[in-house]
Amino acid sequence: MIKKVNSPVSAVSGLHRRAFLAGIGAMGAVAPLAASMVPSNTVSASHAQNTGKPESTLIKGGFLYAGDASNTVIPESWVLIKGRKIIAVGDASTAPPPAEKVINAKGKMVLPGFVNPHWHEAFVEGPDSFKPDDSDLVPTAFSQGANIEELGKYFIELTSVEDQILPEEALIIARYSLWTQLRGGTTLIGDTGSLNSGHIMAQAALDLGMRINTGRWASDIIIPNDNNDFIRALSWQDQAADWETLAGQWHNHSSGLVRIMPSVLVSFTSSDEQLKALKAFSDKYDVHYSAHLGAVSNEASANKRVFGRSAIERFYDQGLLTNKMLSVHTNRVTDEEFKMLVDGDVNICYSPANYGLLGERSISETRMMPKFLKAGLAVSSSTDGGVSFTGGMPEAMRAMHLMVNESMGDNTACPPTTALATGTRYGAMGLGWSDSLGSIEPGKEADLVMINIDEWRYRLVSHPLSVFLVAGSGNDVETVMVAGRVVMHEGKSTMVDEQKLYTDYARVIDTARERVFGKQTAPIR
């Protein structure tokens, strides 16, 4: 049932994500939206496919966790890379082959490049203005089952934020925010809906030398708390057209680093027409897609009240429960819905390090993560998004490892190697890259990270991954390689001037933030 309105819900003057999540949901007026930004599809020579003779690189002496299905661990390893590809992997019992370039990994742990499948670029909102003594802390709109109407209004507002940021600002913000993930070892990121243009996000990723599934989140309705009709707030046709524009520019991109991934943000802000459009787009381009689904306790009842079906049932009806779907935060599931997800081989994703920040219990309350794993689904960990850096994939994998074990009362529920799989191989499956990424194996592309383990935390231990997950962080990542190219060396980017990244961000953020959200009280430091 539809209740039509003449225009989208307006944003609050001074609307700020953290303020909203702290319970502020009133709505007011905003200035007219700026024209849509689509940058030129520029790719430097360093990002293009290498058509000359590929260089061979040997990484030798490292403690390797391959992250493959066989759970291969080699305490003294070598990895031969030619161009973008891994050619061979061996151990100390066999002599490493010759190579044009040798990287000494003695005293290093070698892991697959981390995959963050669920992320929202929201740095235009930062920094937050919370009091450092927590005196202003109140429950968020996500806690206590979620306020469906207020969250719907908020998500509708954020859908159009990208149109209010100037192109120069957008690229500067995107570069800095993506760098915070690359710094912690993320080589592939899934943009499941951002406050930035998908075109800008793709270009920023190329500038940093990392991979991205770029997209545009879509939301077109609001479900009120007190009636059985939904409000049509935005045009699903316009948002589907935006997906087409992205596809025209970035589908099968020549860099091999960019793919497209459309997203509907959450079930209670998408009409059936929008879900049909999502399925049609995925079928047309053979791409993966994402949605937050079965994430909060009030979601199913709101959908049933308006559509006569639960959130998961609606996606099932539209043929969306497939192995091309990344289903985020999925934890409110009936037995029948569980079977739908398993039969469809749906990819599941959680953000365990973020739930405590928002007052959610997506891991501990229903304890679905180990059930999905046992049923054979790929379950990945991710960071979610924030107004500033709130952790990278090492922190997300740590939370998955410790929280799942604690919630199940079983230290074998999510051991360190399983936690690593949630941040590498399973994430690559969720984003559609499992044929080429997610593990260190011959034939796959050379995305990997190296971490220094020749220091006091790792002495007297035989399982350095376990120590890293408990006592390490993204700041411990020293080397990051993407497609055979070192893009981070000794903790510093080889592609960009990191200090300039930050000073540029500090230069534009206050103006951009005030234009979009109104006057803020916490200037950038």
Side-chain angles (χ1 to χ4, degrees):
M1 301 177 70
I2 305 173
K3 178 180 179 181
K4 293 185 177 180
V5 294
N6 294 326
S7 61
V9 178
S10 306
V12 158
S13 176
L15 178 65
H16 188 273
R17 182 174 190 264
R18 291 297 179 90
F20 174 86
L21 296 181
I24 298 173
M27 298 290 155
V30 299
L33 301 181
S36 178
M37 319 169 291
V38 180
S40 60
N41 188 8
T42 56
V43 182
S44 70
S46 63
H47 295 136
Q49 295 276 11
N50 186 357
T51 57
K53 181 182 177 183
E55 181 183 52
S56 60
T57 301
L58 180 70
I59 301 173
K60 68 174 186 177
F63 197 119
L64 182 140
Y65 289 83
D68 58 351
S70 300
N71 207 18
T72 301
V73 179
I74 307 176
E76 190 172 346
S77 69
W78 55 262
V79 180
L80 180 64
I81 299 163
K82 193 166 186 178
R84 302 168 69 103
K85 299 279 189 179
I86 298 168
I87 302 300
V89 178
D91 60 23
S93 67
T94 58
E100 296 165 276
K101 180 180 179 182
V102 177
I103 297 176
N104 181 7
K106 189 73 173 176
K108 313 293 182 187
M109 181 167 57
V110 182
L111 304 175
F114 302 146
V115 179
N116 185 356
H118 159 234
W119 189 68
H120 306 286
E121 200 288 283
F123 274 33
V124 71
E125 297 182 87
D128 66 48
S129 56
F130 281 175
K131 294 182 179 179
D133 63 358
D134 292 332
S135 60
D136 59 346
L137 197 62
V138 296
T140 76
F142 288 102
S143 59
Q144 302 170 2
N147 185 321
I148 297 298
E149 180 177 354
E150 290 305 298
L151 283 176
K153 292 177 180 178
Y154 175 62
F155 292 149
I156 287 290
E157 294 304 333
L158 296 188
T159 301
S160 301
V161 165
E162 66 176 71
D163 298 319
Q164 302 176 63
I165 310 173
L166 301 180
E168 182 203 14
E169 297 169 341
L171 187 58
I172 286 171
I173 293 167
R175 283 173 178 157
Y176 180 66
S177 60
L178 280 171
W179 171 83
T180 67
Q181 290 296 312
L182 178 65
R183 176 61 187 85
T186 294
T187 58
L188 166 62
I189 201 161
D191 178 6
T192 53
S194 292
L195 310 191
N196 212 322
S197 160
H199 304 278
I200 292 286
M201 296 296 293
Q203 188 61 56
L206 291 177
D207 292 342
L208 295 169
M210 65 190 298
R211 302 179 194 267
I212 190 170
N213 276 25
T214 193
R216 187 248 199 272
W217 91 21
S219 295
D220 69 322
I221 67 169
I222 297 167
I223 294 181
N225 291 331
D226 57 357
N227 64 57
N228 298 333
D229 299 332
F230 68 74
I231 298 171
R232 179 81 71 184
L234 295 173
S235 167
W236 65 266
Q237 295 98 327
D238 289 348
Q239 293 169 10
D242 288 344
W243 292 338
E244 289 288 344
T245 302
L246 275 173
Q249 195 161 350
W250 299 104
H251 185 49
N252 291 328
H253 193 260
S254 62
S255 67
L257 301 181
V258 179
R259 295 184 182 180
I260 53 173
M261 183 176 71
S263 300
V264 296
L265 185 61
V266 66
S267 66
F268 54 83
T269 62
S270 285
S271 65
D272 285 342
E273 293 90 343
Q274 187 159 77
L275 298 187
K276 287 183 173 71
L278 178 68
K279 182 66 166 62
F281 183 88
S282 173
D283 289 346
K284 178 179 179 180
Y285 292 101
D286 192 24
V287 294
H288 282 228
Y289 48 91
S290 71
H292 301 69
L293 184 66
V296 293
S297 59
N298 292 337
E299 182 179 352
S301 59
N303 276 274
K304 283 186 175 181
R305 176 163 44 84
V306 174
F307 295 101
R309 300 282 277 169
S310 73
I312 293 173
E313 289 169 342
R314 288 181 62 211
F315 275 67
Y316 175 81
D317 292 344
Q318 301 300 334
L320 287 166
L321 298 187
T322 74
N323 64 1
K324 285 186 170 61
M325 180 174 183
L326 182 73
S327 187
V328 179
H329 304 322
T330 307
N331 72 98
R332 310 288 175 163
V333 177
T334 66
D335 290 344
E336 183 180 358
E337 291 168 340
F338 180 83
K339 186 176 186 303
M340 292 176 183
L341 293 162
V342 172
D343 288 349
D345 196 24
V346 174
N347 302 282
I348 308 295
C349 183
Y350 295 108
S351 304
N354 201 51
Y355 295 139
L357 296 175
L358 298 179
E360 298 174 278
R361 295 188 292 177
S362 300
I363 294 289
S364 60
E365 185 171 13
T366 61
R367 302 190 291 184
M368 290 302 302
M369 183 274 189
K371 297 176 186 177
F372 284 130
L373 269 182
K374 189 174 181 180
L377 297 188
V379 181
S380 54
S381 52
S382 66
T383 65
D384 209 326
V387 305
S388 59
F389 179 70
T390 55
M393 285 308 297
E395 292 78 13
M397 290 186 288
R398 171 194 295 133
M400 186 72 87
H401 169 46
L402 298 179
M403 289 178 64
V404 170
N405 286 351
E406 191 278 336
S407 68
M408 298 302 292
D410 180 358
N411 64 302
T412 69
C414 186
T417 51
T418 298
L420 176 64
T422 71
T424 54
R425 189 171 79 253
Y426 294 151
M429 293 170 71
L431 295 182
W433 293 76
S434 60
D435 58 333
S436 56
L437 300 177
S439 58
I440 301 175
E441 300 180 76
K444 291 201 170 183
E445 296 219 348
D447 284 23
L448 52 84
V449 302
M450 288 189 281
I451 295 149
N452 179 31
I453 57 174
D454 186 22
E455 49 109 319
W456 66 273
R457 289 173 295 176
Y458 296 92
R459 289 176 187 147
L460 306 178
V461 298
S462 58
H463 194 347
L465 176 63
S466 177
V467 176
F468 175 67
L469 289 178
V470 173
S473 74
N475 208 43
D476 294 323
V477 173
E478 288 192 346
T479 301
V480 179
M481 177 180 283
V482 177
R485 180 195 302 128
V486 174
V487 298
M488 188 80 67
H489 176 63
E490 295 182 348
K492 300 291 183 183
S493 173
T494 64
M495 306 288 291
V496 296
D497 182 333
E498 293 180 355
Q499 182 57 41
K500 189 173 189 302
L501 277 183
Y502 178 75
T503 55
D504 283 349
Y505 174 74
R507 173 173 58 84
V508 305
I509 187 58
D510 287 340
T511 301
R513 185 184 53 190
E514 184 171 346
R515 182 187 317 109
V516 176
F517 299 107
K519 185 67 176 177
Q520 301 296 310
T521 58
I524 190 76
R525 291 187 296 273

